[in-house]
Amino acid sequence: MRIGRALENELVVSDLQVSRHHAEFHAHPDGRFEIVDLGSHNGTYVNGQPVQRHILGPDDIVGVGHSTFRLVGDRLEEFVDTGEVSFSARRLTVKVKQGGADKVILNDVSFGVPEKSLVAVIGPSGSGKSTLLRALTGYRPADHGEVLYDNRNLYKQFAELRQRIGLVPQDDILHAQLTVRTALRYAAKLRFPGDTAEAERNARIEEVLRELKLDIHADKRITSLSGGQRKRVSVALELLTKPSLIFLDEPTSGLDPGMDRDVMQLLRGLADDGRTVLVVTHSVAELALCDRLLVMAPGGSVAYFGPPSEALNFFGYESWADVFQAFENYRDYDWSGRWRGSQHYQTYAADLENAPAQAAPEQVQPTRPPKPQSWGSQLWTLVRRYLSVIASDPGFIVLMFALPVVLGIVSMVIPTEYGLAPPPLRKFNSNAGVIILILAIGACFSGAANSVRELIKERVIYERERATGLSRSAYLMSKVIVLGVITALQGVVICALGFAIRELPARGLLLREYPAVEMTMGISMLGITSMMIGLIISALVRTAEKTMPLLVMFAIVQVVFTGVLFQIFDTPGLEQFAWLMPSRWGVAAVGATLDLGNVMPPWDRDNPTNVDPLWDATLSQWGFNMAVLLVMSVVCGFVVQRLLRRHEPEVMRER
């Protein structure tokens, strides 16, 4: 029996998370049944683990999209996840290293969420609300305890269950320069199976836009929307895949009271339509719209869980300001112990916390989780989206062209009597090295400036998309391709202006008739290598503000180690350290074409033949210099890929 979205299957599943021909059940002569994946885009799962084929036991649960199947005798039972699922946390504890010791930042948290309900999480700063959210979503699994989605362990079955959970972080998870409809189309292209027709994707997008009353704003740029409308767009992105459980982190932060109410009413409507919604918030104005309220106390423990209408009476205060002030004034008070000794605890949490640990399902041999799209398809979508973002940002486009023009013009003001060609009668051109230095540093600066903010500004977007199946290497390669082309073109502009008024060598080493093109290749390759180093900086820093000092420091260091300002070769230690600098090899590539060692005055006038070996005017030396720049770029790419792992859900990092 074949399962899939297409009508010719024996079992048709109308779910865009399911491929047209997804999987098959095979009956064996001995009476056993086997599930076989048919190359589906989102995968076939047994007990939460992706499989290619697996012999089924009586307790095995087969997951296909939002549907699960179980064999009862020789009969197949199907359960479609429409939101009527339970969700609970049991004894969640999170510890971090601090001063050589473990510090508990989430302490023995347990609660159960009713089906199709709206739950708010509030508490003072430092009470572990964000830590709890990351533990509940699997982004940072708790050190102890378990999260159960429909009585299934989320951490152990994350590969399958991640598709059923939506997460809206505090920061926007869409490119704000795009229109609402365009942003959702790119998101749908990345999240839905590769065999989903464009008409199917567009129909789902329009359905979500109407549901969230965004259809009248669909062709507006996200940047032009109000704070509440922008939050609706982030929710719309998550609703594309019809999750049963939606988490939101501070969705009303920075909004006025009217927008605060609008967002909370939106969440109330989502719960009423058949989803379970959990929202972390600082706002207490609209708590009456919620079904349950979880109050966190300092130290990361539960101070209250139950109906919002009974919370203030439980604490014995008239306002939430008084409650939060009490938390601050009595930080050492055992708020959790008070909660556990109350009737509210017996009513709303005792049964859950005292329940035995969940029995582990039968282990299956997992395979690598599939991607919703092939690597090439993801890359093409990411490249097109990135180009759309750039095209919608006039400021970046102007800067992209203005920067190389200014740098090229700066190099033109440097006087030189003999151009860049070898001088006649052994007259040296002392300015030749300075001209090449300016061109090289211009390429270094523009290349690094292109990329130094690219990863940090999209960190939240990348983290969320990675959790839904985005390929890390496809994401990185999309940046490398687009920024690499831009940087290479900038190198061409810099060199075109810098060489325009100069006398150049008669012949090149590789391109014999086109020495200017050959030198431009060296400058452009230097820019691309610098762009890759910029990506490392962007992956390392925690805030975008830290990128600019590092960019300036990088450019200054490159100036020093070009080999033009002072003699670097034959200087033990310094020469070897300079090998790590891309500017050293970029200038060397151009210097080999120019025969710069003989164009510039020698460092040792008593021995004028003692020239920089990297500037040797031979094809082999030029090729070696270019090869080193290429290797540096590749190594930087591997480093960036490893650094990106730090910004992914921890449960996925081994993949």
Side-chain angles (χ1 to χ4, degrees):
M1 182 173 60
R2 190 170 58 189
I3 303 173
R5 202 174 72 248
L7 295 178
E8 60 265 23
N9 293 286
E10 286 79 18
L11 180 54
V12 178
V13 180
S14 299
D15 180 358
L16 290 182
Q17 296 287 75
V18 176
S19 296
R20 292 182 57 81
H21 302 104
H22 198 102
E24 283 183 340
F25 282 99
H26 293 173
H28 287 230
D30 59 4
R32 296 185 301 168
F33 290 87
E34 181 182 29
I35 184 69
V36 179
D37 184 78
L38 298 179
S40 63
H41 293 274
N42 279 324
T44 301
Y45 299 83
V46 175
N47 299 331
Q49 302 301 320
V51 297
Q52 291 298 324
R53 57 193 315 132
H54 183 77
I55 299 293
L56 299 176
D59 297 323
D60 287 337
I61 298 175
V62 178
V64 175
H66 286 84
S67 300
T68 54
F69 302 88
R70 176 175 288 174
L71 285 172
V72 179
D74 59 353
R75 183 167 52 88
L76 188 68
E77 289 189 350
E78 178 184 10
F79 171 75
V80 180
D81 186 348
T82 59
E84 297 178 357
V85 294
S86 60
F87 183 80
S88 59
R90 293 183 182 177
R91 296 192 173 279
L92 298 184
T93 301
V94 175
K95 300 177 181 179
V96 294
K97 291 290 184 181
Q98 190 175 79
D102 288 337
K103 179 182 178 182
V104 177
I105 58 176
L106 196 67
N107 187 12
D108 204 19
V109 174
S110 298
F111 65 95
V113 179
E115 298 175 0
K116 299 183 178 182
S117 60
L118 174 59
V119 180
V121 180
I122 64 172
S125 298
S127 59
K129 299 187 300 296
S130 295
T131 301
L132 173 63
L133 187 65
R134 296 181 71 83
L136 294 176
T137 55
Y139 275 55
R140 199 294 188 189
D143 299 307
H144 303 286
E146 57 185 2
V147 177
L148 301 181
Y149 177 98
D150 198 25
N151 291 317
R152 301 170 65 184
N153 191 300
L154 175 65
Y155 298 157
K156 296 179 181 178
Q157 304 186 26
F158 185 80
E160 176 188 355
L161 297 180
R162 66 182 181 182
Q163 302 292 347
R164 308 188 190 186
I165 296 176
L167 173 63
V168 181
Q170 184 173 348
D171 298 321
D172 291 332
I173 52 177
L174 289 165
H175 293 87
Q177 302 92 333
L178 301 178
T179 66
V180 173
R181 183 177 279 114
T182 300
L184 292 179
R185 282 180 176 175
Y186 282 122
K189 178 67 175 173
L190 288 172
R191 295 195 179 194
F192 288 141
D195 61 3
T196 306
E198 183 177 357
E200 291 179 288
R201 291 196 304 270
N202 291 341
R204 178 57 188 157
I205 291 170
E206 297 305 319
E207 181 182 348
V208 170
L209 289 174
R210 289 191 298 270
E211 180 180 359
L212 296 183
K213 298 180 175 59
L214 285 170
D215 45 340
I216 59 175
H217 305 294
D219 295 318
K220 296 179 182 178
R221 286 193 181 185
I222 298 174
T223 50
S224 68
L225 302 179
S226 66
Q229 291 167 345
R230 291 176 68 167
K231 194 57 63 177
R232 282 177 178 265
V233 177
S234 294
V235 173
L237 168 61
E238 294 302 315
L239 291 187
L240 289 175
T241 53
K242 297 184 178 181
S244 303
L245 185 63
I246 302 177
F247 293 92
L248 300 100
D249 187 10
E250 301 286 359
T252 60
S253 178
L255 302 184
D256 61 46
M259 289 186 179
D260 181 357
R261 173 175 295 180
D262 180 67
V263 171
M264 292 302 292
Q265 287 176 340
L266 164 67
L267 303 184
R268 177 71 263 173
L270 293 178
D272 292 339
D273 287 342
R275 306 173 184 91
T276 299
V277 182
L278 188 145
V279 54
V280 173
T281 181
H282 276 112
S283 174
V284 297
E286 305 298 332
L287 294 181
L289 294 173
C290 303
D291 299 296
R292 291 288 186 272
L293 175 64
L294 175 65
V295 182
M296 301 294 293
S301 59
V302 177
Y304 173 81
F305 179 72
S309 59
E310 301 175 15
L312 287 176
N313 184 57
F314 172 83
F315 287 108
Y317 292 99
E318 295 183 356
S319 70
W320 284 108
D322 295 331
V323 175
F324 279 41
Q325 190 174 43
F327 283 148
E328 183 63 30
N329 293 337
Y330 307 104
R331 297 187 69 88
D332 295 331
Y333 182 74
D334 187 9
W335 295 100
S336 178
R338 180 176 184 273
W339 153 245
R340 293 176 187 276
S342 68
Q343 183 59 43
H344 282 81
Y345 170 78
Q346 297 297 327
T347 304
Y348 299 110
D351 292 344
L352 174 71
E353 192 165 84
N354 296 328
Q358 181 198 39
E362 181 182 345
Q363 292 295 311
V364 301
Q365 192 65 34
T367 61
R368 182 179 293 273
K371 309 293 183 185
Q373 302 282 324
S374 67
W375 188 88
S377 178
Q378 282 195 7
L379 175 62
W380 176 235
T381 300
L382 290 167
V383 167
R384 286 191 298 149
R385 183 178 70 177
Y386 193 18
L387 290 174
S388 297
V389 171
I390 292 175
S392 63
D393 187 352
F396 179 81
I397 295 176
V398 171
L399 181 63
M400 180 177 65
F401 285 104
L403 184 61
V405 169
V406 171
L407 294 173
I409 292 175
V410 167
S411 72
M412 296 174 68
V413 304
I414 302 173
T416 174
E417 183 177 354
Y418 305 107
L420 295 176
L425 304 177
R426 301 307 309 155
K427 292 182 180 179
F428 296 107
N429 178 5
S430 59
N431 286 337
V434 178
I435 296 170
I436 299 305
L437 170 66
I438 296 299
L439 297 177
I441 298 308
C444 280
F445 184 80
S446 58
N450 288 337
S451 61
V452 76
R453 288 176 178 262
E454 284 306 306
L455 300 182
I456 180 65
K457 73 181 184 182
E458 292 187 357
R459 185 159 294 173
V460 175
I461 298 175
Y462 171 74
E463 185 179 65
R464 183 65 193 126
E465 290 185 341
R466 178 69 177 133
T468 60
L470 178 70
S471 166
R472 184 192 309 136
S473 58
Y475 174 78
L476 176 58
M477 187 57 65
S478 71
K479 298 292 184 185
V480 172
I481 291 174
V482 175
L483 293 175
V485 171
I486 291 173
T487 303
L489 291 176
Q490 288 177 327
V492 171
V493 173
I494 292 174
C495 291
L497 294 171
F499 297 154
I501 62 173
R502 313 294 182 186
E503 180 186 350
L504 301 179
R507 300 180 71 81
L509 300 173
L510 177 67
L511 305 174
R512 305 291 290 177
E513 304 299 325
Y514 306 101
V517 176
E518 185 174 297
M519 291 188 291
T520 301
M521 291 170 60
I523 294 295
S524 294
M525 192 66 218
L526 172 59
I528 291 172
T529 306
S530 301
M531 179 269 294
M532 297 300 298
I533 293 177
L535 287 177
I536 291 180
I537 295 174
S538 191
L540 276 173
V541 298
R542 294 186 179 274
T543 62
E545 289 73 18
K546 295 180 180 178
T547 59
M548 298 318 294
L550 293 174
L551 173 62
V552 173
M553 182 181 69
F554 168 74
I556 293 175
V557 170
Q558 298 311 303
V559 172
V560 174
F561 291 99
T562 55
V564 171
L565 297 181
F566 59 93
Q567 180 178 333
I568 287 181
F569 67 95
D570 290 341
T571 307
L574 184 64
E575 178 180 18
Q576 287 70 36
F577 181 76
W579 290 345
L580 301 176
M581 303 298 154
S583 64
R584 174 78 170 123
W585 298 98
V587 169
V590 179
T593 302
L594 289 175
D595 192 13
L596 194 57
N598 292 316
V599 172
M600 283 178 55
W603 300 112
D604 184 0
R605 293 184 180 275
D606 296 329
N607 185 13
T609 60
N610 185 23
V611 299
D612 195 326
L614 299 188
W615 297 351
D616 188 18
T618 62
L619 178 60
S620 60
Q621 185 60 54
W622 179 88
F624 182 77
N625 296 336
M626 294 290 286
V628 171
L629 288 173
L630 178 61
V631 170
M632 280 186 171
S633 299
V634 173
V635 170
C636 288
F638 280 111
V639 171
V640 175
Q641 178 145 312
R642 298 298 295 177
L643 290 174
L644 282 174
R645 295 176 69 252
R646 302 186 309 161
H647 311 297
E648 301 172 0
E650 289 190 19
V651 75
M652 295 182 65
R653 290 185 186 176
E654 68 276 7
R655 302 190 183 110

